[in-house]
Amino acid sequence: MNKKKLKMIFAVGTRPNFMKVAPLIIEVSKYPNKFTWLLVHTGQHYSEDMSKILFDDLSLPKPDIYLGVGSGSHAEQTGKTMIEFEKICFETKSFAYEKPDLIVVFGDVNSTLACALVGAKLHIPVAHVEAGLRSFDRAMPEEINRIVTDHASDYLFTTCEDANENLIKEGIAEDKIYFVGNTMIDSLLNHINRAEDSLILDKLKLRNNGQVKRYGIVTLHRPSNVDEPETLKSIMGALEIIAMEIPLVFPVHPRTIWRIKDFEPAGVIITPPLGYLDFLSLMSNAAIVLTDSGGIQEETTFLGVECLTLRDNTERPITVRKGTNTLVGNDPKRIIGTTFDMLKTGNPKMESLKYWDGKASKRIIEVLRQ
Ligand code: UD1
């Protein structure tokens, strides 16, 4: 009986992976006779506010296996993840010592690459959720992860038609590519009502007599923005000027926190990383978001919230063409000027995006059921 079930491993490791796997687990759980699965957490993100809080908010089950890989250089992190993850593929007790039939990986982080490579080397089929995105900037570690993961994968699930085109141009066979939509938007839709109960706006004093104030959010963690002190200092200077006009909330990523110690921007509300529901509540009520994250470019597009991306390129150009996203790089004058222009013009017009409809996970499971 168990033999007939498809044995899957969902491999996750970082904060942005968790919202992408959550709706798939809901969907796959509807077919207990068809699938059996394990949730493996590599431990790339391990702090309570980067992992546990997200698991709780997303109602994710506790990982079946935790690899405890932690931080390190790219080679250390990727190598250690491969070594630990390979053992799981050989030894998984819940699959009665049989190899999994499919490894599912998400996004573009080091954990994604490592687990996909293990699958490819062991001849275990790999499914990549969020395949085909390209910034065409190989200085970004994520771009290398995206390209290699896609070429090691057997099922490529894409969020937009651009991604299909990118994959086809790279010579990936069309019959491996499935345009299914965006599982991160599935999660957003699954949780947006619960996020309304979040008390974060009151906690941060962003409500006045019941009315939500106009405010902005900042998130920054890309090496290109935060690793070079001069660059970081000039961005912080820009935030101070913007904060004179509108309150800014800055939940600070662990890699950024000690770097901003010397030039914390005056007037900006600094918080630790927030839970999913609190952040969703903050984002959906914000006037503007300044970020270098990938996922936030998509979430703000979906929510119709103005987004300034502090990068020169994006692997998600659809958010610029059809959504609310503007690329501003990290020049402080441009950041300040564009922010003030946008605050004057109000909320942007946007088009609805195909398959960003809460059913991407359903489509993925439908493909796998076939
Ligand atoms: C990783 C991803 C990035 C993604 C981001 C989302 C790669 C190459 N990068 O970047 O694409 O946008 O996650 O958050 O995979 N740290 C902690 N606690 C944690 C995790 C990290 O303190 O739970 C600190 C450590 O000092 C660590 C640093 O943050 O060295 C960077 O963590 P790492 O996982 O290497 O990369 P991120 O910057 O989080």
Side-chain angles (χ1 to χ4, degrees):
M1 181 75 184
N2 203 26
K3 281 257 177 254
K4 281 190 207 132
K5 292 187 191 180
L6 187 81
K7 301 184 291 295
M8 293 201 286
I9 289 186
F10 293 116
V12 294
T14 67
R15 184 169 64 173
N17 292 163
F18 307 144
M19 23 288 210
K20 291 167 196 163
V21 75
L24 260 186
I25 287 183
I26 296 173
E27 198 56 37
V28 79
S29 302
K30 293 180 185 165
Y31 305 97
N33 297 328
K34 192 86 188 169
F35 301 105
T36 175
W37 53 271
L38 293 174
L39 180 61
V40 176
H41 186 333
T42 67
Q44 177 173 345
H45 284 175
Y46 45 86
S47 301
E48 172 132 352
D49 50 16
M50 295 297 284
S51 182
K52 166 105 179 33
I53 294 180
L54 280 287
F55 267 69
D56 292 346
D57 277 2
L58 290 158
S59 309
L60 269 169
K62 203 166 163 275
D64 298 285
I65 298 168
Y66 185 75
L67 302 180
V69 167
S71 301
S73 69
H74 287 278
E76 282 168 344
Q77 203 172 50
T78 310
K80 203 168 168 200
T81 308
M82 285 185 73
I83 292 166
E84 297 306 317
F85 187 68
E86 190 186 51
K87 292 179 194 163
I88 299 304
C89 295
F90 288 135
E91 294 170 7
T92 309
K93 294 195 176 82
S94 314
F95 294 152
Y97 297 97
E98 290 174 24
K99 269 191 192 179
D101 300 311
L102 184 73
I103 293 168
V104 187
V105 298
F106 301 82
D108 57 12
V109 299
N110 287 344
S111 297
T112 313
L113 168 69
C115 298
L117 283 178
V118 168
K121 296 274 184 182
L122 294 178
H123 307 291
I124 300 168
V126 175
H128 183 202
V129 175
E130 201 186 82
L133 298 184
R134 296 290 182 266
S135 66
F136 303 102
D137 173 5
R138 290 205 182 195
M140 251 184 119
E142 292 80 2
E143 183 74 353
I144 309 293
N145 294 347
R146 289 177 200 119
I147 295 169
V148 181
T149 302
D150 283 339
H151 286 262
S153 294
D154 304 275
Y155 295 84
L156 295 103
F157 294 116
T158 63
T159 56
C160 57
E161 280 149 317
D162 294 349
N164 288 42
E165 284 168 26
N166 292 336
L167 293 170
I168 290 164
K169 274 189 206 144
E170 286 177 16
I172 290 181
E174 250 179 276
D175 60 4
K176 290 184 178 179
I177 307 170
Y178 301 87
F179 172 34
V180 291
N182 196 328
T183 64
M184 204 182 50
I185 301 300
D186 293 359
S187 253
L188 188 156
L189 285 166
N190 287 343
H191 292 90
I192 192 84
N193 290 339
R194 277 179 66 212
E196 282 171 20
D197 297 333
S198 155
L199 299 176
I200 192 74
L201 295 175
D202 305 287
K203 248 195 214 160
L204 299 177
K205 303 193 171 41
L206 294 171
R207 240 193 270 269
N208 213 353
N209 297 327
Q211 284 286 94
V212 178
K213 290 186 195 167
R214 260 185 125 208
Y215 66 89
I217 310 176
V218 180
T219 82
L220 291 172
H221 70 283
R222 295 272 163 221
S224 57
N225 285 330
V226 306
D227 284 5
E228 194 56 57
E230 278 310 305
T231 309
L232 184 58
K233 191 174 166 191
S234 71
I235 296 175
M236 294 302 112
L239 297 184
E240 282 190 8
I241 292 173
I242 297 167
M244 290 176 194
E245 184 75 21
I246 180 171
L248 285 182
V249 183
F250 184 2
V252 186
H253 187 283
R255 81 172 286 132
T256 315
I257 193 87
W258 63 267
R259 291 180 165 89
I260 64 163
K261 249 197 249 139
D262 293 334
F263 18 79
E264 256 188 39
V268 174
I269 307 166
I270 305 276
T271 75
L274 298 174
Y276 183 64
L277 297 174
D278 283 347
F279 193 73
L280 203 49
S281 164
L282 259 190
M283 193 164 45
S284 52
N285 286 290
I288 194 158
V289 176
L290 290 89
T291 189
D292 59 10
S293 149
I296 293 174
Q297 296 172 50
E298 295 183 341
E299 288 167 334
T300 46
T301 279
F302 186 81
L303 293 166
V305 174
E306 199 81 74
C307 176
L308 261 69
T309 296
L310 277 64
R311 288 172 45 190
D312 295 322
N313 52 53
T314 177
E315 61 290 338
R316 293 160 160 94
I318 197 168
T319 61
V320 176
R321 274 199 325 273
K322 298 198 169 189
T324 59
N325 190 16
T326 307
L327 298 178
V328 289
N330 55 22
D331 171 56
K333 278 198 197 119
R334 194 157 165 224
I335 296 170
I336 298 165
T338 316
T339 302
F340 287 155
D341 284 351
M342 288 192 170
L343 288 174
K344 266 187 233 134
T345 53
N347 274 344
K349 278 204 195 97
M350 54 162 294
E351 294 174 38
S352 66
L353 298 182
K354 190 171 172 190
Y355 291 169
W356 291 25
D357 56 358
K359 294 182 188 146
S361 309
K362 213 181 185 51
R363 292 186 192 98
I364 291 173
I365 297 303
E366 207 42 57
V367 171
L368 299 180
R369 283 182 66 197
Q370 304 305 321

